[in-house]
């Protein structure tokens, strides 16, 4: 089955916020959010061991327990093992992501992209998720934002370990697809240039959004489309900056980003378009994109995302964005605008 055909619907649910991203989310609120997603008809759920040191997977597993397993698709990630021993969450080296999950569990997180760790990580995730299978596995964060100048060494470790293990699991039918889950385009480029192994698709967070898409558009999307692979777009609202939040790339947004948001919003307001609709529909307009997975930590956000997906956006809005130089000249726009 082609990667893009794995996903039941264009709108999925990103569970990073359920790992207590930025704040301590009450258990009842986390459970209610997943339930709201289910009741909305969302049937694709993405998680990762890193999100709250297993907390997001545990919460997702609890919320989906009892739901018909044949009706939904799970993706999670490998590259980090969550141990039983605890550590000082403030002393963790999370690269550019700092204390994003400081409110999560204090369990020790170990970076390990070996084949053995990959298999163990999947086993651990199955237990936390309370399921017997995972459809899609992404190798997590093989990029500069976590490893700086050492990212190529981490990539090489994964090439010898995780990639081969996942290729085998896919060919054996244990999983249905694998790829990279990253916030940067370079690792995807590098993997696409290898003759083997053969990834099926990628989760690219923050790099194919209305605010930031030039690099991915030029260097990743064409190759992905040519090869019949696919992209899941994470962070379609650019860490909230696009929809009026203070953060871009998990940190306070710089003036240039805030100025771009203001320009887009002025055009959106003129056309009566919500910023969420602009963000989601832009990302989905690229033929390489299989699904978008905005994160949510409140039930009300799910309804907003669904409304944004269904909102009728006039073609003139997209044309004006293009004329104002706010989208790349080659970026596919909804409705062929």
């Amino acid at each position: 089955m082609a990667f893009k055909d794995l996903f039941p619907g264009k709108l999925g649910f990103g569970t990073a916020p359920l790992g207590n991203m930025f704040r301590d989310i009450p258990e009842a609120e986390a459970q209610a959010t997943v339930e709201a997603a289910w009741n909305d008809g969302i049937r694709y759920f993405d998680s990762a061991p890193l999100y709250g040191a297993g907390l997001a997977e545990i919460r997702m597993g609890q919320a989906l327990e009892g739901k018909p397993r044949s009706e939904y698709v799970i993706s999670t990630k490998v590259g980090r093992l969550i141990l039983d021993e605890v550590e000082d969450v403030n002393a963790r080296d999370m690269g550019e992501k700092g204390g994003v999950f400081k409110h999560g569990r204090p369990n020790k997180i170990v970076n390990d992209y070996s084949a053995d760790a990959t298999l163990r990580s999947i086993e651990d995730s199955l237990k936390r998720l309370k399921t017997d299978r995972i459809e899609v596995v992404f190798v997590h964060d093989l990029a500069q934002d976590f490893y700086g100048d050492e990212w190529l060494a981490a990539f090489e470790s994964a090439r010898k370990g995780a990639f081969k293990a996942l290729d085998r699991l896919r060919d054996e039918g244990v999983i249905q697809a694998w790829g990279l889950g990253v916030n940067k385009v370079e690792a995807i480029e590098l993997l696409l240039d290898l003759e083997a192994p053969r990834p099926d698709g990628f989760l690219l967070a923050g790099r194919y959004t209305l605010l930031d898409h030039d690099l991915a558009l030029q260097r990743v999307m064409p190759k992905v489309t040519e090869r019949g692979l696919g992209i899941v777009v994470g962070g379609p609202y650019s860490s909230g900056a696009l929809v009026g939040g203070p953060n871009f790339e998990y940190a306070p947004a710089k003036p240039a980003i805030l100025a771009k948001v203001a320009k887009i919003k002025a055009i959106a307001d003129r056309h009566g378009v919500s910023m969420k609709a602009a963000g989601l529909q832009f990302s989905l307009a690229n033929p390489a994109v299989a699904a978008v997975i905005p994160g949510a930590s409140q039930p009300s956000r799910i309804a907003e995302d669904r409304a944004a997906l269904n909102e009728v956006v006039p073609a003139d809005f997209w044309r004006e964005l293009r004329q104002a130089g706010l989208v790349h000249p080659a970026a596919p726009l909804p409705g062929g605008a």
Side-chain angles (χ1 to χ4, degrees):
M1 185 185 291
F3 183 78
K4 290 177 73 174
D5 296 331
L6 286 173
F7 302 97
K10 293 291 189 184
L11 184 62
F13 180 62
T15 65
L18 299 188
N20 282 351
M21 193 178 194
F22 297 122
R23 68 185 181 98
D24 195 350
I25 297 162
E27 192 62 39
E29 192 177 317
Q31 296 297 317
T33 304
V34 181
E35 191 66 25
W38 181 271
N39 291 339
D40 178 79
I42 289 172
R43 295 293 183 268
Y44 168 40
F45 299 86
D46 173 71
S47 198
L50 180 70
Y51 303 158
L55 181 60
E57 287 188 323
I58 290 167
R59 285 173 158 174
M60 189 173 122
Q62 287 170 343
L64 294 177
E65 193 176 16
K67 308 278 194 236
R69 185 62 186 87
S70 60
E71 286 189 16
Y72 62 94
V73 167
I74 290 174
S75 60
T76 193
K77 308 186 183 80
V78 295
R80 271 62 170 256
L81 291 173
I82 311 302
L83 308 186
D84 290 333
E85 66 184 276
V86 299
E87 64 183 353
D88 177 2
V89 295
N90 295 307
R92 285 175 181 156
D93 182 5
M94 296 274 284
E96 294 174 12
K97 300 301 178 285
V100 169
F101 291 108
K102 68 181 180 185
H103 300 290
R105 298 161 80 220
N107 295 58
K108 188 175 173 87
I109 300 171
V110 177
N111 299 336
D112 192 335
Y113 295 92
S114 68
D116 286 347
T118 297
L119 299 177
R120 181 177 160 193
S121 180
I122 290 171
E123 285 297 319
D124 291 348
S125 288
L126 288 168
K127 289 179 191 145
R128 287 190 290 265
L129 291 164
K130 297 186 174 184
T131 186
D132 62 348
R133 66 187 184 276
I134 293 162
E135 283 81 5
V136 185
V137 177
F138 295 116
V139 185
H140 207 186
D141 289 330
L142 285 175
Q144 307 91 313
D145 52 336
F146 269 92
Y147 295 105
D149 292 341
E150 302 299 312
W151 81 271
L152 286 169
F155 184 96
E156 184 61 12
S157 173
R159 186 185 70 79
K160 293 174 180 172
F163 296 175
K164 290 180 179 177
L166 294 173
D167 226 28
R168 191 179 73 249
L169 290 178
R170 190 264 325 282
D171 291 349
E172 290 171 355
V174 177
I175 61 175
Q176 292 188 41
W178 74 273
L180 301 182
V182 288
N183 300 290
K184 302 285 184 186
V185 302
E186 287 83 359
I188 295 178
E189 280 189 278
L190 196 55
L191 182 49
L192 286 171
D193 284 342
L194 297 178
E195 283 191 24
R198 297 167 290 105
D200 303 280
F202 306 95
L203 196 170
L204 181 59
R207 298 285 76 76
Y208 197 75
T209 71
L210 195 49
L211 280 183
D212 182 355
H213 55 268
D214 290 16
L215 206 57
L217 182 71
Q218 295 168 72
R219 290 163 55 174
V220 166
M221 306 311 249
K223 285 183 184 174
V224 167
T225 305
E226 281 164 21
R227 298 186 193 186
L229 310 179
I231 297 271
V232 172
V233 170
Y237 306 136
S238 297
S239 298
L242 184 66
V243 292
N247 292 323
F248 177 79
E249 283 293 273
Y250 312 101
K254 293 186 166 67
I257 290 292
L258 296 175
K260 187 171 183 180
V261 172
K263 287 176 185 171
I264 294 170
K265 190 168 188 323
I267 296 171
D269 288 348
R270 261 204 310 283
H271 290 276
V273 173
S274 75
M275 292 293 274
K276 276 198 166 184
L280 285 190
Q281 294 187 29
F282 171 81
S283 294
L284 283 168
N286 192 297
V289 175
V292 288
I293 49 166
S297 60
Q298 296 172 341
S300 62
R301 298 282 187 253
I302 304 293
E304 289 173 13
D305 292 336
R306 178 63 66 188
L309 194 66
N310 294 334
E311 189 175 315
V312 178
V313 177
D316 284 349
F317 165 72
W318 301 113
R319 289 193 196 103
E320 195 170 334
L321 281 188
R322 181 98 80 195
Q323 286 160 3
L326 292 166
V327 293
H328 190 280
L333 296 176

